[in-house]
């Protein structure tokens, strides 16, 4: 390809080398990379995307009408290094005939595994225990010290039994879970495999010992877990969220945790991200907060990077994408 025919691609972050190698080897991209581990500043994003044919972005980049206008009419494809796409203004993208690539499936196992780890860390109070060992709080073995809640014989409720929700349920069942409830927009045939019972949200929230949120963030799920929601949960129940922070009203969650309305919460996602270090949730022993590491295994991030690159190339050449988001 001659220099004039090369297609301009803006990459908004340093990404795992697996994906960069694919883009470089393709020999059709004039690559411009925000070469940093930190998010691209908005002004640099607007500058970098100007005239681009392809945009490779992350979940921390808000791709709205302003960015699309700054890109201009060349833009054919947006490929995001994530399965979540709530950071993309889908209506605007669709209006402009731009295709979107994303990374479903390849991160399902890693994210489900992290969700189980977070659930166990929260219900069995692991961070508190580790802290007590370090600070000298461990005086002797005591019958009721650091007791928590176990999965055996419990009822687990999954909000959003999609790819990740189902993978979480599969992993939790062997812990001796007695009932597996789930809710969503419609019943899922694949729920049979885990003896999942499709129930209304209200039934799930009232009846579960563990409530696990794994739905996508949409206008319907934004702020879904609020004061009313927490007030219906059992006092002994555990709340886990690995979907998106905005599904939860964090002020209401703080109220529920600090008043004893619910026993504990584990969050891999928050609003904002990062959560400020002086945030009230971080003062609570019964709240375990992780820095959005659901998909963070070396191999998963490598495969995500490859898929993101291949989606982008397919969008540039007008061919079938390995994982195209149906708009
Ligand atoms: P899927 O699309 O397979 O699953 C999303 C699920 O959300 C679907 O089952 C969908 O139900 C459900 N849902 C949508 N609207 C509602 C609603 N109003 N009430 C209840 N459920 C609803 O996506 P994935 O499982 O692959 O990913 C899910 C989300 O997990 C991503 O969107 C992302 O935000 C988050 N994620 C977080 C990660 C992390 O690092 N913490 C890593 C990866 C993903 P239906 O099928 O009926 O529409
Ligand atoms: C996603 O892909 O949506 C996650 O939040 C990060 O892997």
């Amino acid at each position: 390809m001659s220099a004039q025919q090369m297609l301009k691609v803006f990459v908004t972050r340093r990404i795992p080398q697996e994906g960069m190698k694919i883009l470089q080897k393709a020999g059709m991209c004039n690559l411009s990379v925000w070469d940093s581990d930190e998010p691209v500043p908005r002004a640099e994003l607007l500058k970098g995307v100007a005239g681009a044919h392809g945009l490779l972005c992350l979940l921390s980049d808000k791709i709205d009408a302003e960015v699309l206008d700054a890109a201009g009419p060349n833009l054919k494809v947006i490929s995001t290094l994530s399965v979540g796409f709530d950071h993309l203004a889908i209506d605007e993208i669709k209006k402009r005939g731009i295709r979107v690539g994303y990374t479903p499936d390849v991160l399902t196992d890693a994210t489900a595994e992290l969700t189980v780890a977070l659930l166990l860390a929260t219900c069995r109070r692991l961070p508190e225990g580790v802290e007590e060992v370090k600070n000298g709080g461990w005086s002797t073995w005591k019958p009721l010290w650091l007791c928590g809640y176990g999965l055996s014989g419990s009822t687990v409720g999954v909000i959003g039994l999609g790819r990740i929700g189902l993978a979480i349920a599969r992993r939790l069942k062997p812990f001796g879970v007695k009932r597996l409830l789930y809710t969503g927009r419609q019943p899922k045939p694949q729920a049979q495999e885990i003896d999942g019972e499709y129930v209304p949200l209200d039934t799930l929230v009232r009846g579960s010992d563990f409530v696990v949120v794994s739905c996508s963030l949409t206008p319907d799920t934004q702020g879904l877990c609020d004061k009313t929601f927490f007030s219906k949960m059992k006092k002994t129940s555990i709340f886990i969220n690995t979907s998106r922070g905005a599904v939860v009203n964090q002020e209401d969650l703080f109220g529920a945790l600090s008043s004893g309305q619910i026993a504990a919460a584990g969050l891999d996602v928050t609003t904002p991200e990062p959560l400020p270090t002086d945030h009230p949730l971080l003062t609570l022993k019964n709240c375990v907060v992780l820095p959005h590491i659901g998909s963070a295994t070396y191999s998963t991030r490598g495969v995500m990077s490859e898929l993101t690159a291949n989606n982008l190339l397919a969008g540039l050449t007008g061919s079938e994408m390995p994982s195209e988001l149906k708009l």
Side-chain angles (χ1 to χ4, degrees):
M1 231 179 213
S2 74
Q4 290 98 314
Q5 288 169 320
M6 295 282 268
L7 300 169
K8 184 180 170 187
V9 170
F10 185 57
V11 180
T12 65
R13 193 87 63 91
R14 216 176 268 156
I15 60 166
Q17 39 98 19
E18 288 91 333
M20 284 313 288
K21 278 190 189 155
I22 289 171
L23 294 179
Q24 282 152 357
K25 232 174 106 189
M28 66 165 91
C29 307
N30 179 3
L31 285 172
S32 158
V33 181
W34 180 253
D35 193 17
S36 166
D37 289 329
E38 300 305 318
V40 59
R42 184 79 179 171
E44 295 296 333
L45 170 61
L46 296 174
K47 212 176 352 157
V49 80
H53 300 87
L55 172 63
L56 192 157
C57 67
L58 272 61
L59 57 89
S60 45
D61 305 315
K62 190 171 158 51
I63 308 301
D64 55 12
E66 187 186 25
V67 173
L68 301 173
D69 288 343
N74 283 349
L75 192 63
K76 284 181 165 182
V77 55
I78 297 170
S79 182
T80 182
L81 185 94
S82 62
V83 68
F85 51 86
D86 49 281
H87 55 301
L88 308 178
I90 294 298
D91 289 348
E92 290 291 333
I93 291 170
K94 194 173 169 183
K95 218 161 61 186
R96 290 162 161 87
I98 299 165
R99 293 169 71 192
V100 174
Y102 71 142
T103 65
D105 301 313
V106 296
L107 44 53
T108 295
D109 287 346
T111 308
E113 183 176 274
L114 186 281
T115 307
V116 173
L118 175 59
L119 183 148
L120 291 171
T122 305
C123 69
R124 297 301 305 273
R125 304 171 63 178
L126 302 191
E128 271 183 86
V130 170
E131 190 51 36
E132 293 292 337
V133 172
K134 288 185 183 167
N135 69 19
W138 182 16
S139 57
T140 181
W141 190 92
K142 295 180 229 168
L144 283 175
W145 189 52
L146 284 176
C147 284
Y149 298 92
L151 279 160
S152 184
S154 70
T155 297
V156 171
V158 178
I159 300 181
L161 197 78
R163 289 171 291 250
I164 295 171
L166 182 64
I168 295 168
R170 273 195 200 117
R171 283 161 175 75
L172 291 180
K173 281 289 277 189
F175 282 90
V177 169
K178 196 164 151 205
R179 289 183 74 197
L180 201 303
L181 313 179
Y182 74 99
T183 190
R185 288 180 292 192
Q186 68 263 322
K188 303 274 178 185
Q190 56 270 38
Q192 273 184 356
E193 175 205 331
I194 41 110
D195 295 325
E197 302 169 42
Y198 182 66
V199 295
L201 180 66
D202 193 73
T203 308
L204 183 147
V205 176
R206 289 184 193 281
S208 299
D209 301 300
F210 297 86
V211 173
V212 181
V213 184
S214 57
C215 59
S216 34
L217 174 61
T218 68
D220 285 344
T221 60
Q222 173 129 18
L224 179 77
C225 307
D226 61 4
K227 199 173 173 161
T228 312
F229 177 103
F230 294 120
S231 73
K232 294 175 187 165
M233 285 177 67
K234 298 183 189 181
K235 284 198 164 22
T236 50
S237 63
I238 310 281
F239 176 79
I240 302 294
N241 182 19
T242 51
S243 68
R244 284 290 183 267
V247 172
V248 177
N249 180 320
Q250 287 177 176
E251 228 172 274
D252 294 348
L253 175 61
F254 177 81
L257 287 168
S258 54
S259 67
Q261 176 60 51
I262 66 171
L267 312 172
D268 183 44
V269 286
T270 60
T271 37
E273 293 184 1
L275 194 65
T277 52
D278 61 354
H279 193 281
L281 282 175
L282 299 180
T283 64
L284 299 174
K285 283 193 170 170
N286 57 349
C287 188
V288 179
V289 183
L290 299 178
H292 202 149
I293 53 170
S295 64
T297 70
Y298 292 112
S299 63
T300 300
R301 290 286 165 82
V303 178
M304 286 169 70
S305 183
E306 271 173 24
L307 180 54
T308 309
N310 284 324
N311 282 337
L312 186 98
L313 292 177
L316 289 176
T317 55
S319 45
E320 195 182 328
M321 276 189 204
S323 289
E324 178 160 7
L325 183 67
K326 302 279 167 276
L327 301 181

